[in-house]
Amino acid sequence: MQSPLKISLLGIMLILGGCAKNPVTGKSELHFVNTQKEIQMGEKNYAYGQQMAGGLYTQDPALTAYIQEVGQKLAKASDRPSLPFEFVVLNDSIPNAWAMPGGKLAINRGLLLELENEAELAAVLGHEITHATARHGAKAMERQVLLSAGLLAANVALSSQNSDNTLGNNAILASAAVASQLVNTKYSRNAELEADNYGMEYMVKAGYEPMAAVSLQEKFVKLSEKKSGGWLEGLFASHPPSQHRANANLIHAQKMPGNLTLGEKRYQQKIATLKKQAPAYENYDKGIEALKKKQYVEAQALAELAIKALPTEALFHGLKGDALAKQNQREEALACYDQAIALEKQYFYFYHQRGLLRQKMGQKAQAKEDLKLSQQLLPTEEAQATLASL
Ligand SMILES: [Zn+2]
C-alpha cells in the first residue's frame, strides 16, 4: 500500500524545497533541509550519537581541550565558520570519527592512538568538517527521505556493525534512530573525495602540512587490507579508504604550499596520557568480548585489572557490575553500578543496567527512577519494556 504519509512528506518537501548553491562547491542542488534545519538536526541528535559510542572520554580533559582547539582552528578556516561547531572525544576504542549536520563532530579515543602528528589529526577533522560544511550528511538525509520516508523507520538495531562496543545487543528506539543514521552515514565516493579535497584546503589555511592527508590515506589503505582492529566497523565503514583517494590527495597536495606544520612532538605530548592508559582500555575491551562469550569470571577479572590501572574510569566499574550481575552476585553488582554512576553521571548505560538489576531485586521505585534517567539519555527498547512492566 502506498503510504499516505510518504506522499504528504514528499509534498511538503516539494513545497519547502528549492534550488540553492552548495556553500562549499558552489554547485546548484536541491535543498529542502535549510541551514536552520541542519543545525537543529545536529543539535537534536548529537547527545544520542555520543551515548551510542561510550559517552564522553573524561579521563584526560586536557586532551579534549586540545582536540577542540585544533578543530576550531580548522572550522574557522572552513567555508562556513559561522556554523556552531563542537568537538568531543568519545570513550570508545574503535577507530572512528563522524560529523553531524550543522558542525557537530566526534572522534573516538581509539582513532587518536592511530595518528602520528597534529597534521594527521587536522586531516581527519578537516575531512569531517567538510562533510558538515558541504552538507553531505544533510544531503544523505534528503536522499533518504525522498527514497523511503525513512526518517520514520522503526527501531534500528545496534549490531556489531555499529561503532559501539558497550551497548551490546540493546536496540535503540525510533526516537534515537535518526542519530544512529547520522553517525553511520556511508558517504559516496564523490563525497569522500570532496571531503578530502576541501579538508586539505582547510588544513593549509590553518597552517598544517597537506601531505599528512596523503600519508594518512596511505596508512588507512594498508590497514584496510589487514581487516582488523575494529577498523571495518568504525571509520572505514562510513569513509572507505582507497588508493584512488590517496593518489588524488597526492596530486592535490603537490599543487599546495608545502613545508607547513606537522606538529609531531606536540601531538605525541598531548596523547601521552591516553597512551599510558591504553593497556587498561585493552583489558576492558577484552572483558567486553569475554562477557559476550558468557565467560563471566574472565570478564570480571579483566574489569578488575582495568580498574587497578585506572580506578577513575566508570566504564570499568560498569563492566565489573555486568559480570557480577551475570553471576547472580546482585548486591556486589549494584555497588559497582553505584560506583560507575558516582564517577560518570551522564552515561545512559549505568542507569540502564542498574535499573534492570533493581527491577530483578524487587526495588521497583528505584528501578523506575534509573530507567527513566536512562531513557532520557538514550531511549532503548529494553528500558521501555521494563518500565512498562513496573
Ligand atoms: Zn568521509
Side-chain angles (χ1 to χ4, degrees), residues 127-128 131 136 185 187-188 191-192 195-196 235 238-240 245:
H127 177 100
E128 295 296 335
H131 280 317
H136 292 156
T185 303
Y187 297 103
S188 68
E192 285 305 282
D196 281 349
L235 195 71
S238 39
H239 315 267
R245 273 176 72 186

Side-chain angles (χ1 to χ4, degrees), residues 137-160:
K139 270 193 272 189
M141 291 311 262
E142 287 169 343
R143 248 194 324 271
Q144 205 185 345
V145 173
L146 279 172
L147 285 172
S148 65
L151 290 185
L152 299 163
N155 304 341
V156 173
L158 287 177
S159 59
S160 56

Side-chain angles (χ1 to χ4, degrees), residues 189-190 192-198 200-201 210-211 213-215 217-218 221 242-256:
R189 213 173 112 118
N190 271 348
E192 285 305 282
L193 288 170
E194 211 169 271
D196 281 349
N197 209 357
Y198 289 97
M200 288 167 75
E201 301 282 340
M211 282 302 287
V214 182
S215 64
Q217 196 54 222
E218 295 280 6
V221 170
S242 67
Q243 193 55 49
H244 180 67
R245 273 176 72 186
N247 297 345
N249 288 1
L250 179 62
I251 291 166
H252 192 52
Q254 282 166 343
K255 293 182 208 147
M256 300 177 107

Side-chain angles (χ1 to χ4, degrees), residues 7-269:
I7 296 165
S8 68
L9 263 180
L10 199 61
I12 291 165
M13 279 160 2
L14 291 176
I15 294 161
L16 296 179
C19 240
K21 270 193 175 159
N22 184 286
V24 173
T25 63
K27 286 180 207 154
S28 280
E29 53 191 32
L30 184 72
H31 287 191
F32 53 84
V33 172
N34 61 24
T35 301
Q36 195 194 345
K37 284 262 166 53
E38 256 185 285
I39 292 171
Q40 271 175 7
M41 202 190 283
E43 279 174 351
K44 209 176 139 203
N45 293 288
Y46 196 34
Y48 284 161
Q50 296 171 22
Q51 293 286 319
M52 287 173 201
L56 295 175
Y57 167 69
T58 56
Q59 294 301 304
D60 184 5
L63 179 60
T64 297
Y66 166 65
I67 302 301
Q68 288 167 343
E69 180 201 317
V70 174
Q72 292 295 352
K73 213 192 303 180
L74 290 157
K76 291 228 161 55
S78 81
D79 290 288
R80 298 171 77 187
S82 61
L83 283 180
F85 282 98
E86 277 187 73
F87 300 84
V88 290
V89 179
L90 297 182
N91 207 0
D92 194 324
S93 301
I94 291 175
N96 202 12
W98 47 259
M100 283 191 181
K104 303 299 183 199
L105 281 83
I107 186 162
N108 290 1
R109 60 171 158 69
L111 181 55
L112 293 175
L113 286 174
E114 305 286 344
L115 307 176
E116 302 294 326
N117 54 50
E118 194 169 301
E120 284 191 356
L121 171 67
V124 170
L125 295 177
H127 177 100
E128 295 296 335
I129 285 171
T130 309
H131 280 317
T133 56
R135 306 183 72 261
H136 292 156
K139 270 193 272 189
M141 291 311 262
E142 287 169 343
R143 248 194 324 271
Q144 205 185 345
V145 173
L146 279 172
L147 285 172
S148 65
L151 290 185
L152 299 163
N155 304 341
V156 173
L158 287 177
S159 59
S160 56
Q161 64 178 33
N162 210 283
S163 64
D164 176 74
N165 60 9
T166 52
L167 206 49
N169 295 319
N170 287 322
I172 54 158
L173 287 171
S175 46
V178 176
S180 172
Q181 289 171 2
L182 289 172
V183 167
N184 296 298
T185 303
K186 192 177 185 299
Y187 297 103
S188 68
R189 213 173 112 118
N190 271 348
E192 285 305 282
L193 288 170
E194 211 169 271
D196 281 349
N197 209 357
Y198 289 97
M200 288 167 75
E201 301 282 340
Y202 303 163
M203 283 172 77
V204 169
K205 269 206 222 164
Y208 293 110
E209 171 56 44
M211 282 302 287
V214 182
S215 64
L216 189 68
Q217 196 54 222
E218 295 280 6
K219 180 159 76 181
F220 285 171
V221 170
K222 279 201 190 103
L223 281 164
S224 71
E225 284 158 4
K226 281 202 286 183
K227 299 183 186 242
S228 64
W231 282 102
L232 295 180
E233 48 190 307
L235 195 71
F236 295 171
S238 39
H239 315 267
S242 67
Q243 193 55 49
H244 180 67
R245 273 176 72 186
N247 297 345
N249 288 1
L250 179 62
I251 291 166
H252 192 52
Q254 282 166 343
K255 293 182 208 147
M256 300 177 107
N259 287 324
L260 299 177
T261 304
L262 268 179
E264 183 160 5
K265 203 172 159 196
R266 189 161 121 98
Y267 185 76
Q268 290 301 328
Q269 273 169 2

